Amino acid sequence: MGNALAAAIAILAVMPSALGEAFVCMKTVEGMSRNPEMYSKLRTTMILACALVETTAIYALLVAILIIFVA
């Protein structure tokens, strides 16, 4: 029971990560609509930013899996 609760708490780190990724994409699309000639630079930066934000969710999932199966 304690392991499941600890894993659920570890997964709570995924929600801010998802919100951060949505915010990055939202602002990039807004920038693309305001300045279409910057499309390729903004897209490249957005992909890099989303990859960096997504690592938080992957680490949280890894911690939850380790808590469930190792502990």
Side-chain angles (χ1 to χ4, degrees):
M1 177 71 178
N3 288 346
L5 182 61
I9 291 171
I11 286 296
L12 286 178
V14 173
M15 288 187 295
S17 175
L19 290 175
E21 191 168 347
F23 186 75
V24 166
C25 294
M26 176 184 69
K27 290 298 183 178
T28 303
V29 170
E30 182 181 325
M32 287 176 184
S33 66
R34 291 179 187 260
N35 197 357
E37 59 270 5
M38 291 293 292
Y39 175 80
S40 63
K41 285 187 179 182
L42 287 172
R43 183 188 52 167
T44 304
T45 305
M46 180 193 70
I47 290 171
L48 179 63
C50 285
L52 292 173
V53 170
E54 191 68 26
T55 57
T56 306
I58 292 169
Y59 287 141
L61 178 64
L62 180 65
V63 167
I65 288 172
L66 286 173
I67 289 172
I68 289 174
F69 292 112
V70 174

